[in-house]
Amino acid sequence: MAKKVVPEEARRRRRPTRHGVVVTQQLIVETALRMLHEHGRDGLTVRRLGLALGADPSTLYRYFRGIDDLTLAIADELIARAMHGRRSTGRWRTDLREIGLRIHAAYLAHPEAAVLTASRVSGRANEIAGDETVLGILRSTGLPDADVVRIYQAFVDQALAFSALDAASLALPEEARAADERVWRATYAELPARTHPNIAALAPLLVARMNDSAYPTALEMLLDSAEASIGRARRDTDPDHA
């Protein structure tokens, strides 16, 4: 049977570690984020975490059920960082755009953690609060509930999918990433129009864009689609609505 995880205050370490710090759940999460950045996903182990904290490795189990439970806490922390300091404007499109870009930026600031967590559902406080916020913004438009859920799913999945895709590129070794980026100039830009007329015609534009994230463009396309749905919903409920 899994060991019961008790509340933070009940399990706080009373004495500092040999590094002179008191271990908390937040400290473990922040240390794990640093380890992922420095050592990659394979470097996040209970033993290494204990060494980094200056504590016995078993300390982790006072706060988490294991590495997977810690992974979910890291996912929740990334959402917390994305939403920190956000202020509502009351304009649904502006607010959703900001949230999407904030999520993308928060994940790309920690690419190894992003690749590890983007596909996970933590069910923790910050994730739930973020979902409540997005759903509230969409409901404020007057959309039917089914459309709210449809657009919410597309919005969240798009943000996380692009975060994982772009983070995976950033998490590559520098040499591999640079080699991938050179392909557009060294290969695609040199293809002859005789055999690849479409690539050749668009080569300068492709070279200029393809090493950048498409997320901002994709996000605007999703928001355009949402705006069209809102317009249809308003016409359906008020035929005289312009």
Side-chain angles (χ1 to χ4, degrees):
M1 180 179 295
K3 182 179 178 180
K4 182 179 180 181
V5 176
V6 296
E8 168 89 4
E9 290 302 318
R11 50 188 154 81
R12 187 185 298 275
R13 183 186 173 105
R14 299 302 177 186
R15 292 181 299 169
T17 69
R18 60 179 176 270
H19 289 175
V21 297
V22 175
V23 175
T24 64
Q25 180 171 305
Q26 184 64 26
L27 177 63
I28 293 174
V29 170
E30 291 172 356
T31 302
L33 279 169
R34 189 180 75 248
M35 291 176 61
L36 285 167
H37 176 72
E38 294 174 353
H39 305 292
R41 284 160 282 166
D42 293 339
L44 183 59
T45 66
V46 173
R47 184 184 67 81
R48 282 181 180 238
L49 192 58
L51 288 172
L53 290 166
D56 189 279
S58 64
T59 300
L60 173 73
Y61 298 104
R62 291 180 60 81
Y63 298 84
F64 301 100
R65 294 180 176 86
I67 290 294
D68 191 66
D69 195 30
L70 173 58
T71 298
L72 298 179
I74 292 170
D76 199 54
E77 175 67 15
L78 293 180
I79 296 298
R81 295 185 180 198
M83 300 296 283
H84 178 71
R86 190 195 76 86
R87 296 289 183 269
S88 174
T89 68
R91 298 186 294 274
W92 73 266
R93 182 165 182 145
T94 299
D95 288 343
L96 281 185
R97 180 190 296 111
E98 182 188 8
I99 291 172
L101 294 175
R102 278 174 166 268
I103 291 171
H104 188 250
Y107 274 75
L108 263 59
H110 300 277
E112 290 283 357
V115 174
L116 185 65
T117 64
S119 64
R120 304 301 302 273
V121 181
S122 75
R124 295 181 179 232
N126 293 304
E127 179 186 88
I128 291 171
D131 289 342
E132 178 70 11
T133 296
V134 173
L135 288 167
I137 291 169
L138 288 169
R139 293 190 74 202
S140 74
T141 66
L143 279 168
D145 288 350
D147 283 341
V148 167
V149 173
R150 174 178 61 83
I151 295 169
Y152 156 80
Q153 181 190 29
F155 175 81
V156 172
D157 283 2
Q158 182 193 67
L160 294 177
F162 270 99
S163 294
L165 176 67
D166 294 339
S169 177
L170 289 177
L172 287 172
E174 179 62 32
E175 183 178 342
R177 186 167 72 250
D180 283 358
E181 292 176 354
R182 286 195 299 269
V183 168
W184 287 102
R185 281 185 165 77
T187 301
Y188 281 86
E190 301 300 323
L191 292 172
R194 179 179 57 81
T195 55
H196 299 83
N198 297 306
I199 293 175
L202 300 175
L205 295 174
L206 289 168
V207 169
R209 289 189 63 95
M210 293 306 294
N211 284 326
D212 296 329
S213 175
Y215 179 58
T217 300
L219 176 58
E220 290 302 323
M221 293 171 70
L222 186 146
L223 295 175
D224 286 344
S225 177
E227 190 158 8
S229 294
I230 292 168
R232 286 193 297 271
R234 289 174 178 172
R235 289 192 296 272
D236 289 344
T237 57
D238 181 7
D240 294 328
H241 180 79

